[in-house]
Amino acid sequence: ILSYILDKDMSFLYAYGDLDLNKDQEKDFFKILERRKNGEPLQYIFGYTYFMTEKFLIYRGVLIPRSDTENSVETIVNKIKMNRLKSFLEIGCGSGAVSIMVNLLTNIKTCAVDISELAIKNTLINSKQLNAEIEVFKSNLFENVKGKYDIIYSNPPYIPTCEIKNLQEEVKNFEPLEALDLSLIHI
C-alpha cells in the first residue's frame, strides 16, 4: 500500500523506512486500509495487478488473474514453441492476461473472446498498452468464433453455487460471479 501511495518500489521503502507521510498520503493510506479491511482486493483498489512480467489494468467486475494461471501460460508457450503452432484462441479472456502474454511470448496469431463487454474492454486496453496483437470480440463460448485454431484455452467458471459462500470474502463479495459460478455458464 505504501509503495502504491508513494509511487516507489519496495527497495525504496526498505531504504527509507523512517520516511514520514504527509497528511494527504496518510489519509489515502487509511482509506485504502479501510477498503481492504472490508475485503476489497488490492487489485481493484489500485486498478492494476502484475501478471508474469507485465502490469495489467484490472477493472472492477473483471476476474483478477491468479498467479497460478502463470503456470498455464508457461505450458501453453512451451507447447506452441515445441509444436510450431500458428494460432491460439482463449475463451473467457477476462483482463486478457493469458492471451496477451501468450502473444507477447510467441508472436502467435491470437484471438480472445468473452461474454462480458467489460472484460472485452479491459482486454482491449491491456493489449493496446502492452503492444500485443490480438483479436478480441464478444462470444458466448464458440458462438461467434469462426475458423480453426491450433490451440484453444479456457479457464471457465467451475465453482458449484453451493460452494460460493465458502470462498474468501474478497472473492465472493467482489469478483464477478459469472466468472466463478459453474451454474452461470451460458450454454
Side-chain angles (χ1 to χ4, degrees):
I1 295 171
L2 286 175
S3 177
Y4 172 78
I5 289 172
L6 297 172
D7 195 25
K8 302 287 185 188
D9 63 22
M10 291 303 292
S11 60
F12 176 89
L13 296 178
Y14 289 123
Y16 299 95
D18 59 346
L19 183 71
D20 288 329
L21 299 178
N22 65 38
K23 293 286 184 198
D24 288 339
Q25 292 167 330
E26 188 175 312
K27 185 177 163 184
D28 290 343
F29 180 79
F30 285 107
K31 278 184 189 176
I32 291 171
L33 279 183
E34 187 64 28
R35 289 171 70 182
R36 202 46 211 121
K37 185 178 97 177
N38 291 327
E40 187 174 354
L42 284 175
Q43 295 90 335
Y44 290 151
I45 295 170
F46 297 164
Y48 67 85
T49 192
Y50 285 90
F51 184 80
M52 298 186 83
T53 58
E54 301 296 336
K55 182 177 180 178
F56 285 82
L57 295 178
I58 301 296
Y59 289 172
R60 180 183 295 274
V62 173
L63 189 70
I64 298 166
R66 306 299 198 260
S67 59
D68 54 333
T69 304
E70 294 176 1
N71 296 329
S72 295
V73 172
E74 291 171 2
T75 300
I76 293 165
V77 166
N78 287 336
K79 294 287 181 195
I80 289 168
K81 289 179 177 179
M82 285 175 37
N83 297 292
R84 296 189 174 129
L85 302 176
K86 304 287 185 218
S87 58
F88 172 77
L89 169 67
E90 180 181 14
I91 297 177
C93 58
S95 66
V98 171
S99 291
I100 291 167
M101 290 310 301
V102 166
N103 180 262
L104 292 176
L105 295 169
T106 66
N107 291 320
I108 194 171
K109 178 184 175 223
T110 305
C111 183
V113 302
D114 206 295
I115 196 168
S116 163
E117 295 282 353
L118 186 62
I120 292 166
K121 182 177 178 186
N122 201 167
T123 297
L124 287 168
I125 286 177
N126 281 324
S127 65
K128 183 176 182 179
Q129 286 191 342
L130 295 169
N131 296 314
E133 293 183 26
I134 65 174
E135 180 183 359
V136 184
F137 60 91
K138 186 172 184 172
S139 184
N140 178 23
L141 302 173
F142 291 99
E143 188 174 77
N144 297 322
V145 174
K146 308 287 185 240
K148 295 181 180 180
Y149 294 87
D150 293 331
I151 187 165
I152 299 172
Y153 171 85
S154 184
N155 185 8
Y158 58 86
I159 302 169
T161 303
C162 63
E163 291 297 319
I164 298 291
K165 67 182 179 296
N166 299 325
L167 297 175
Q168 294 173 292
E169 294 291 321
E170 59 193 8
V171 176
K172 69 181 177 183
N173 294 336
F174 290 92
E175 296 208 56
L177 282 178
E178 56 275 0
L180 301 168
D181 192 332
L182 174 63
S183 70
L184 298 178
I185 293 178
H186 303 279
I187 297 178

